[in-house]
Amino acid sequence: MSRANMVDAEEPQTATAFTIPLHLLVGATGDESSTGALHVAAAIARRSGASVRVLTVSTPFPHAVGVADVTTPPMIDEENRRAALSAIKAKLETLPDTNEWNVHALVGWPAEAIVDAAERWPASLVVLGRGEHHAWDRLFGPETAIAVARRSLAPVLAVPPSVRTIPSRVLAAIDFTKSSVNAAKLAARLMSTTGTLTLAHVSAFDDRTAAEGSLADLYDTGVADKLDDCRREIHLETGRCIETVVLTGEVVGQLVEYAGRERCDLIAVGGHHLGLIDRILLGSVRSGLLRSAVCSVLIGAQQAVAA
């Protein structure tokens, strides 16, 4: 349930210089599930001059399976790798402005290979497709985008197959941690200069039953003030049009419902901390968004736990 909406109208929309990610790693395949990710990466690169690397991964042949010729499994792996490389190159030939992209193919497990490649480069942003949940996803573990987001030190942008342009209507979940604010800033920089960023805080309190001066009332007042502080900070750095809203209820459900109602094309959320408890408890929100949202989802960079 929405409880407030404050539009950034009193401050001029000045052109503010900023740097968006310069190194994009796109984890992709040659099928339809990666089409949106490739289009969005191309759009970001055109606007920012970012360098782009594309990585496609073929899963290894089960070497434990008995075969007459011991050289067969490695040969099959190499054949599959070459086939995956040919498929992604054929896909890129249909897209403009991708001739200079570096394209690589590996044999391994997709999430592990993508995270490792992102760290080795290092990548500023990992872009992935968000296709349907195929049978192999259920057999070999969580969906690739979720697995990468849980381990990647870089932000992760998961894009549905139908997307063709950078976002123009963005919903950023704000829990007032540095990570969530940084994710909102990155989303603002990725979006269209004429778009709108909405900062959303999901509260457990329902203001319809909150008495004046109660804990819930004081919480609501504090949230509104802190959201306004975040709005001013992000607007100052990015020059984007920013709104704020307070939602009530379960986090994932409220964010997905609001994004659908307002036709948002991106939901941004902060990255988890490196601690085990943060991965388990906070990771459920990110996984829930990646599974439930119809639009693209941006997961911010991981945050180190303060000493």
Side-chain angles (χ1 to χ4, degrees):
M1 176 180 176
S2 173
R3 296 209 304 264
N5 189 38
M6 299 165 285
V7 181
D8 187 355
E10 75 277 9
E11 298 178 31
Q13 297 299 308
T14 56
T16 305
F18 54 80
T19 302
I20 70 173
L22 296 178
H23 303 294
L24 307 182
L25 177 68
V26 186
T29 64
D31 60 27
E32 181 61 23
S33 65
S34 298
T35 301
L38 292 168
H39 274 280
V40 169
I44 294 173
R46 281 194 298 270
R47 194 176 69 169
S48 67
S51 58
V52 182
R53 292 185 181 181
V54 179
L55 176 66
T56 188
V57 183
S58 61
T59 53
F61 181 84
H63 290 212
V65 176
V67 291
D69 185 350
V70 294
T71 64
T72 299
M75 291 174 62
I76 293 175
D77 284 345
E78 178 59 18
E79 289 176 359
N80 289 340
R81 188 193 71 82
R82 290 178 179 272
L85 183 62
S86 296
I88 192 64
K89 285 185 175 181
K91 188 76 171 179
L92 291 175
E93 288 178 357
T94 67
L95 301 177
D97 304 320
T98 62
N99 295 336
E100 301 300 319
W101 290 9
N102 292 315
V103 185
H104 304 275
L106 299 175
V107 175
W109 303 110
E112 294 178 4
I114 292 168
V115 170
D116 182 66
E119 292 181 6
R120 288 175 180 272
W121 189 2
S124 306
L125 178 67
V126 177
V127 185
L128 302 171
R130 277 187 55 218
E132 298 295 329
H133 304 302
H134 298 292
W136 67 268
D137 288 316
R138 294 191 291 271
L139 287 172
F140 294 110
E143 299 89 335
T144 299
I146 293 174
V148 172
R150 286 175 176 169
R151 297 180 52 194
S152 175
L153 297 177
V156 176
L157 176 62
V159 183
S162 60
V163 176
R164 296 293 181 269
T165 61
I166 57 176
S168 61
R169 180 75 181 177
V170 176
L171 178 66
I174 298 292
D175 60 7
F176 305 114
T177 60
K178 182 178 180 181
S179 176
S180 68
V181 174
N182 286 343
K185 289 178 181 179
L186 175 57
R189 291 164 174 165
L190 294 175
M191 65 184 279
S192 166
T193 57
T194 58
T196 300
L197 171 67
T198 300
L199 307 180
H201 178 76
V202 183
S203 170
F205 294 109
D206 189 342
D207 67 338
R208 294 173 299 181
T209 60
E212 185 176 356
S214 65
L215 177 61
D217 181 51
L218 295 175
Y219 178 86
D220 289 343
T221 302
V223 164
D225 290 342
K226 288 184 70 66
L227 275 177
D228 196 52
D229 289 341
C230 292
R231 177 189 61 80
R232 292 177 182 276
E233 177 183 343
I234 297 171
H235 173 73
L236 181 63
E237 290 190 23
T238 68
R240 298 295 189 262
C241 177
I242 302 175
E243 303 174 353
T244 66
V245 64
V246 179
L247 306 172
T248 303
E250 187 270 330
V251 176
V252 173
Q254 287 297 311
L255 292 173
V256 171
E257 179 182 348
Y258 184 91
R261 185 170 67 248
E262 299 298 323
R263 298 183 178 180
C264 298
D265 41 21
L266 174 65
I267 299 175
V269 63
H272 56 69
H273 291 289
L274 297 179
L276 177 61
I277 298 301
D278 293 298
R279 287 176 181 268
I280 295 174
L281 298 181
L282 300 183
S284 62
V285 171
R286 295 155 185 83
S287 299
L289 288 173
L290 287 169
R291 290 192 176 102
S292 304
V294 176
C295 62
S296 299
V297 176
L298 174 66
I299 310 295
Q302 291 186 13
Q303 299 293 305
V305 178

